[in-house]
Amino acid sequence: MMEKESRLRHMVLTGLFAALICLTTAFILHIPVGNGYIHLGDSFIYLAACVLPMPYGIIAAALGGSMADLLSGYAIYALPTAIIKSMLACCFYGMGVQKTQTLLSRRSVIASVLCVPITVIGYYLTAVILYGNPVAQIAETVPANLVQAGCSAALFCIAAFALDRVKLPMLRR
């Protein structure tokens, strides 16, 4: 019975995180730039990967990010976003954040920093595939994605610190 309850809890949290990722990506501090937009939704991807076991965090990241693209009028990016956001969550799992007792740890900070080049390179390659001209895409995608990924990493660290301090039972592993 406990295994069923645990699986249900993970599925519910996956849906909640997918919704949070979608909302913070598509509607909260959504700033259109160049080929895409700056947002802080990635910080919730990082939180999902810290709280949920694999593959639930990956599913929340892929669904939330791609749904935000569909809602924001960037449907052409939905599939690449699902792949890139899944890679962000995988970075956290690869760093072993599930082994730590807190959301904010050396492992999670390193993972959030490693997610910056994943985001920048992933969306740069996507833009080159979609629009061509690799040189022009450097100026078109790299600066905005650096800002977005860096701000998401910083917001994650602030949120993880705050959530560790309040010790919410739903975020206990």
Side-chain angles (χ1 to χ4, degrees), residues 77 80-81 84 87 115-129 141 145:
Y77 282 94
T81 290
I84 294 165
M87 290 172 63
C115 285
V116 173
I118 293 170
T119 298
V120 172
I121 293 168
Y123 282 108
Y124 168 76
L125 292 174
T126 299
V128 169
I129 290 167
T141 64
N145 282 313

Side-chain angles (χ1 to χ4, degrees), residues 65-84:
S66 57
M67 285 182 356
D69 281 344
L70 292 171
L71 289 171
S72 300
Y74 292 89
I76 196 167
Y77 282 94
L79 180 59
T81 290
I83 295 166
I84 294 165

Side-chain angles (χ1 to χ4, degrees), residues 9-142:
R9 178 181 179 273
H10 293 319
M11 289 190 304
V12 168
L13 285 174
T14 299
L16 288 172
F17 271 110
L20 280 170
I21 292 163
C22 179
L23 290 173
T24 55
T25 301
F27 301 112
I28 299 173
L29 197 73
H30 177 98
I31 305 168
V33 291
N35 295 338
Y37 52 93
I38 293 175
H39 60 84
L40 297 175
D42 290 358
S43 56
F44 287 94
I45 290 173
Y46 307 159
L47 285 171
C50 287
V51 171
L52 295 168
M54 192 163 61
Y56 296 98
I58 295 169
I59 293 167
L63 286 176
S66 57
M67 285 182 356
D69 281 344
L70 292 171
L71 289 171
S72 300
Y74 292 89
I76 196 167
Y77 282 94
L79 180 59
T81 290
I83 295 166
I84 294 165
K85 301 310 182 190
S86 295
M87 290 172 63
L88 298 182
C90 285
C91 183
F92 273 75
Y93 293 118
M95 286 299 301
V97 296
Q98 297 288 311
K99 297 175 185 170
T100 63
Q101 296 298 314
T102 58
L103 298 174
L104 185 63
S105 66
R106 174 183 280 182
R107 291 172 192 247
S108 65
V109 171
I110 292 170
S112 67
V113 171
L114 291 175
C115 285
V116 173
I118 293 170
T119 298
V120 172
I121 293 168
Y123 282 108
Y124 168 76
L125 292 174
T126 299
V128 169
I129 290 167
L130 292 174
Y131 309 114
N133 199 342
V135 175
Q137 295 311 324
I138 292 172
E140 190 69 25
T141 64
V142 171

